[in-house]
Amino acid sequence: MTARRIDMAIAGGGLAGGLIALALHRARPEFTIALVEQGPMIGGNHRWSWFASDLDADGAALLSGFRTASWGGYDVRFPGYRRDLGTAYHSLASVDFDAALRRELAEGALIVGRSIHSLDARGIDLDNGERIEARTVIDCRGIDSAAQLTGGWQVFIGRHLRTPRPHGIARPTIMDADVEQYGAYRFVYTLPLGAQDLFVEDTYYADTPQLDRNALSGRIDRYCQRAGWQGNPVGFETGVLPVITGGNFAAFQAAHRIDGVAVAGTRGGFMHPLTSYSLPFAVETALAIARDADLPGVQLAAMLEGRARQHWSRTRFYRQLGRMLFRAGSAEERWRIFARFYRLPRPLIERFYAAQTTRLDRARVLCGKPPVPVMGALAALVGQGRALERDAA
């Protein structure tokens, strides 16, 4: 068995692990880092998107070196209702994520195509017998299971389409729910990545995690036909993400804890429980780790566990909304909840996606569009408080 010793070893080269490596490299270039990923490239096969309002200046600076697609606004569509919103929107493909990290990180920092046999507070054992000794170890390997949490699922399949001529689409459509629902909250998500490039994703808030690739692919075909889009597929993405509505977070943390090993990313619980967005929280966590990079491994692990508990606490409202969504009568009518939400003020919508809603925002979401009747708002907040008491912290 061979061994080498470094400052920080990161298990899992997805979004969270890659951003931690980048933030640490920029803040402490003298640190030696190893980012271990079992796949052939960092980030896998994914596309991450976010609103400009999701990030502060430091967060935007961390992402500034990546090649991204950006737009000055987006639109949403529901039966009988459409709206254009002026919040800037950005999207990052994993191939560009991988390329930027390879350019910027030190030579030898990326270890791809290697499975992890085990890890502990002092290092990572690879499947080929190599041992990476490290002062600090961070586990970003994603979630294998989450039996301690409850909720539904966000199921999707995306297709990158290259059209033979310019398609003429200028802005993303974040939600087009003016489509047949098929027993779930269904919407189609479209990004114009270039003059002749479209990313079209069919998404479902479903009660089960089953993903029927053939059915969803056929529905994308029909959607594109109705829109008049023709072209060749140049890429695909599929996913099944948890929509968290409750559970025992302390038990979830215990199930993913290794003594002395810090835990980040979705494995640490850093995600939006209702939208499943993870990028803003991955950025926030990466910057926090870079600021406290000198902490011993045990203390860094405790710091991240504390941040995860705070995140769980401040996202209670979104779990409540998730429960409302999945319990709302017929699944075919779930779109009405989002249709009403998108009639609310744009700043409220921005704070919602950034998981920064205020008490007044919560009252408006629960009671209807402003102005909010005072008694209705108070009743909603009381009801919300009771619901949150039932949501194990």
Side-chain angles (χ1 to χ4, degrees):
M1 175 182 292
T2 60
R4 55 183 173 126
R5 183 171 179 79
I6 59 173
D7 291 301
M8 184 174 290
I10 304 167
L15 178 68
L19 289 178
I20 291 168
L22 178 63
L24 185 62
H25 174 73
R26 289 184 180 175
R28 303 294 298 272
E30 75 278 11
F31 267 42
T32 50
I33 306 168
L35 177 60
V36 183
E37 166 57 33
Q38 68 176 355
M41 60 183 288
I42 302 300
N45 178 33
H46 296 288
R47 175 169 291 280
W48 304 282
S49 299
W50 69 99
F51 300 94
S53 51
D54 289 342
L55 304 177
D56 61 15
D58 290 338
L62 181 63
L63 298 184
S64 62
F66 294 109
R67 178 179 178 269
T68 60
S70 300
W71 306 270
Y74 66 96
D75 64 72
V76 294
R77 303 173 187 174
F78 299 91
Y81 175 66
R82 295 189 178 192
R83 184 178 180 185
D84 295 329
L85 294 104
T87 308
Y89 195 65
H90 307 283
S91 189
L92 169 64
S94 54
V95 63
D96 296 315
F97 185 67
D98 175 88
L101 291 177
R102 290 179 187 273
R103 286 194 306 268
E104 188 159 348
L105 296 183
E107 183 177 357
L110 300 183
I111 302 174
V112 298
R114 294 285 179 83
S115 295
I116 294 172
H117 178 267
S118 61
L119 54 82
D120 55 56
R122 295 179 299 278
I124 297 176
D125 292 310
L126 303 181
D127 59 352
N128 65 349
E130 181 181 356
R131 169 77 174 177
I132 301 174
E133 294 280 354
R135 180 178 60 82
T136 306
V137 178
I138 303 181
D139 193 353
C140 300
R141 289 178 294 174
I143 300 174
D144 295 326
S145 64
Q148 307 81 11
L149 306 180
T150 59
W153 303 91
Q154 188 181 140
V155 178
F156 62 89
I157 182 170
R159 180 187 300 170
H160 183 173
L161 185 70
R162 184 154 296 152
T163 62
R165 59 187 62 84
H167 48 68
I169 308 300
R171 292 157 62 95
T173 298
I174 300 302
M175 286 186 180
D176 182 359
D178 193 8
V179 293
E180 189 170 350
Q181 295 294 286
Y182 294 108
Y185 171 49
R186 177 199 179 203
F187 62 90
V188 179
Y189 169 82
T190 304
L191 300 178
L193 299 176
Q196 294 177 239
D197 287 87
L198 285 171
F199 182 76
V200 184
E201 183 177 280
D202 197 12
T203 302
Y204 300 75
Y205 275 73
D207 297 308
T208 64
Q210 279 70 43
L211 190 157
D212 187 333
R213 294 170 185 259
N214 290 333
L216 271 61
S217 183
R219 292 168 192 171
I220 291 179
D221 288 340
R222 293 190 291 275
Y223 185 86
C224 291
Q225 289 168 3
R226 287 194 299 271
W229 302 332
Q230 297 179 342
N232 297 317
V234 296
F236 299 90
E237 178 183 348
T238 62
V240 178
L241 302 175
V243 179
I244 300 169
T245 63
N248 186 332
F249 190 66
F252 172 81
Q253 286 189 304
H256 293 87
R257 182 184 298 123
I258 299 173
D259 287 344
V261 175
V263 186
T266 56
R267 191 180 187 90
F270 296 101
M271 70 191 82
H272 196 299
L274 182 55
T275 67
S276 301
Y277 275 33
S278 61
L279 184 140
F281 315 110
V283 168
E284 185 180 70
T285 303
L287 293 173
I289 290 172
R291 288 192 297 269
D292 287 327
D294 288 318
L295 286 177
V298 172
Q299 293 182 26
L300 185 65
M303 184 271 284
L304 286 182
E305 279 208 4
R307 289 181 67 92
R309 287 192 296 271
Q310 292 173 358
H311 179 76
W312 177 264
S313 179
R314 71 184 176 95
T315 55
R316 287 174 172 175
F317 176 64
Y318 309 102
R319 294 193 295 279
Q320 180 190 1
L321 293 181
R323 290 194 296 273
M324 292 169 60
L325 176 69
F326 284 103
R327 295 172 184 171
S330 169
E332 298 281 339
E333 299 297 314
R334 288 175 182 167
W335 63 268
R336 296 184 184 277
I337 295 175
F338 281 91
R340 187 176 72 80
F341 169 76
Y342 268 105
R343 293 178 185 271
L344 296 170
R346 192 182 87 185
L348 183 154
I349 295 170
E350 292 175 348
R351 291 191 292 271
F352 170 85
Y353 278 105
Q356 296 174 358
T357 52
T358 66
R359 289 176 66 87
L360 181 57
D361 289 342
R362 296 167 192 169
R364 287 175 169 175
V365 169
L366 293 173
C367 295
K369 62 183 180 181
V372 181
V374 174
M375 293 308 296
L378 290 174
L381 289 173
V382 170
Q384 178 190 337
R386 290 173 177 166
L388 297 183
E389 288 174 0
R390 296 192 296 269
D391 188 2

